């Protein structure tokens, strides 16, 4: 089954309207909607996968050092990431409203948001822009490329492994800094 890669993302000219709709949806919403909106925003600004971000425990967030660790990743390698000024604002907002173990806390048996589909549907209605969570990952990656972030840095931010025969990658040490 040779299925081509999807090319969908949020286009540059749609980002402003999409983001404004996200802010509007979050304001005055219930705690679950706010958690999902914060999760969607953080996905947009980190390119992380759904499960990697939704399961993020506060124990893996160090606001003083401005880093957070995604311990359980798709490829099995933990990922240490920096906390930018914008991400810090999101983490601080979450810290004020959560008292549980997870950044994206929810009142369920797991303690964290598991399925954000209903809120994503509301955001699509509000913004008029259809998207998936993986579209946000592609948007993040495409934007990083447009900004001329190095290929190895992008691979590291996405936690993609480099091939064993890539000698240059073996010499390139990328940290959260």
């Amino acid at each position: 089954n040779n299925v081509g890669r999807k090319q969908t993302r949020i286009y540059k000219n749609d980002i402003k309207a999409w983001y404004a709709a996200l802010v509007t949806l979050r304001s005055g919403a219930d705690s679950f909607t706010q958690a999902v909106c914060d999760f969607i925003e953080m996905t947009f600004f980190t390119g992380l996968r759904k499960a990697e971000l939704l399961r993020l425990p506060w124990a893996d967030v160090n606001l003083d050092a401005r880093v957070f660790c995604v311990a359980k990743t798709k490829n099995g390698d933990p990922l240490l990431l920096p906390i930018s000024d914008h991400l810090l604002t999101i983490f601080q907002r979450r810290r004020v409203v959560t008292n549980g173990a997870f950044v994206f806390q929810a009142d369920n048996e797991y303690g964290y948001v598991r399925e954000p589909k209903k809120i994503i549907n509301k955001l699509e209605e509000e913004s008029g822009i259809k998207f998936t969570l993986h579209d946000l990952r592609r948007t993040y990656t495409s934007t990083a490329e447009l900004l001329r972030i190095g290929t190895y840095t992008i691979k590291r931010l996405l936690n993609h492994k480099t091939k064993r025969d890539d000698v240059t990658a073996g010499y390139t040490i990328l940290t959260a800094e």
Side-chain angles (χ1 to χ4, degrees), residues 75-87:
N75 73 10
D77 292 341
L79 177 62
L80 187 65
L81 292 170
I83 298 175
S84 66
D85 291 343
H86 190 82
L87 291 182

Side-chain angles (χ1 to χ4, degrees), residues 151-153 155-156 160-175:
T151 300
Y152 289 117
T153 301
K155 287 176 77 83
R156 184 67 188 129
H160 286 165
K161 291 191 177 196
T162 53
K163 294 181 180 179
R164 294 186 69 154
D165 63 351
D166 187 337
V167 176
T168 306
Y171 284 93
T172 306
I173 308 301
L174 297 169
T175 65

